[in-house]
């Protein structure tokens, strides 16, 4: 079932039944700005990516993207865009001051049981992946709750829009 959602600018949805829906991403520090969105689309366009397919699943307190496939205009897979850079910025608890403090932005890559600083190109790809995955987390947050969802988020890079398709189930409790 395709929900036919397209989204941009942030916070505005239009769906096939014209019902607006706001996202619930507040618990995550990953609401992309318009500039981040534009940069992500440009990074993909520069790599000749026309379509991005993101398979996702989750529920019962865990979930997220399972696989990302980048396709060119002919439908062939574009390789070399792995997004293995992660942003370690955010707050952390400082036991000395017993307060939360902000970490400076630092992008890292984990490999061979260690981490290293990400290269500028790896950072661009990591930032693009964060923007692309955003609608999943915007709709399902941390995947907390008695439900299960799986589907595909398909981005049209040139148009800057996405379509969301899949299925969602909810657990039903009955009195005994």
């Amino acid at each position: 079932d395709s929900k036919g959602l397209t989204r941009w600018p942030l916070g505005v949805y239009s769906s096939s039944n014209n019902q607006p829906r706001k996202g619930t991403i507040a618990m995550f520090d990953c609401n992309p700005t318009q500039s981040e969105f534009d940069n992500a689309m440009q990074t993909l366009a520069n790599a000749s990516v026309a379509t991005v397919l993101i398979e996702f699943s989750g529920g019962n307190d865990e979930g997220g993207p399972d696989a990302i496939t980048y396709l060119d205009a002919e439908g062939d897979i574009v390789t070399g865009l792995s997004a293995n850079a992660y942003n370690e910025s955010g707050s952390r608890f400082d036991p000395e001051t017993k307060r939360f403090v902000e970490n400076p932005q630092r992008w890292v890559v984990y490999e061979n049981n260690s981490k290293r600083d990400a290269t500028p190109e790896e950072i661009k790809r990591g930032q693009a992946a964060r923007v692309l995955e955003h609608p999943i987390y915007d709709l399902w947050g941390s995947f907390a709750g008695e439900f299960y969802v799986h589907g595909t988020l398909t981005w049209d890079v040139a148009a800057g829009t996405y379509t969301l398709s899949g299925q969602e189930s909810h657990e039903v409790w009955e009195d005994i």
Side-chain angles (χ1 to χ4, degrees):
D1 176 32
S2 176
K3 290 187 179 183
L5 295 174
T6 59
R7 180 169 180 263
W8 219 263
L10 289 170
V12 179
Y13 282 92
S14 62
S15 67
S16 56
N17 61 2
N18 293 321
Q19 296 298 311
R21 178 175 178 178
K22 279 286 233 181
T24 56
I25 196 72
M27 70 178 291
F28 297 100
D29 181 26
C30 62
N31 282 321
T33 65
Q34 185 66 48
S35 175
E36 290 171 322
F37 175 79
D38 293 342
N39 290 340
M41 293 300 121
Q42 189 61 54
T43 295
L44 296 169
N46 290 346
S48 300
V49 174
T51 304
V52 180
L53 305 173
I54 304 175
E55 303 293 328
F56 64 92
S57 63
N60 296 308
D61 298 333
E62 60 182 89
D66 298 318
I68 300 177
T69 305
Y70 301 95
L71 304 172
D72 64 17
E74 288 76 41
D76 295 324
I77 294 176
V78 177
T79 59
L81 290 174
S82 174
N84 57 350
Y86 302 93
N87 187 350
E88 285 192 335
S89 66
S91 62
R92 66 170 177 80
F93 185 75
D94 181 4
E96 213 171 279
T97 64
K98 302 202 181 331
R99 299 177 67 181
F100 281 92
V101 295
E102 289 297 313
N103 283 336
Q105 186 166 351
R106 179 179 180 215
W107 285 83
V108 297
V109 173
Y110 292 92
E111 48 188 20
N112 302 324
N113 295 324
S114 65
K115 70 180 177 182
R116 63 172 173 78
D117 288 336
T119 66
E121 191 58 36
E122 289 169 329
I123 292 170
K124 272 199 228 176
R125 292 192 309 254
Q127 290 169 330
R130 183 178 146 231
V131 168
L132 294 170
E133 295 167 356
H134 180 264
I136 296 167
Y137 294 109
D138 203 25
L139 289 170
W140 290 285
S142 67
F143 290 85
E146 303 299 321
F147 71 93
Y148 184 76
V149 62
H150 68 92
T152 304
L153 175 64
T154 304
W155 278 95
D156 178 332
V157 174
T161 59
Y162 69 79
T163 303
L164 183 62
S165 61
Q167 295 180 323
E168 183 173 351
S169 66
H170 295 270
E171 198 167 323
V172 178
W173 295 86
E174 297 182 12
D175 292 334
I176 54 171

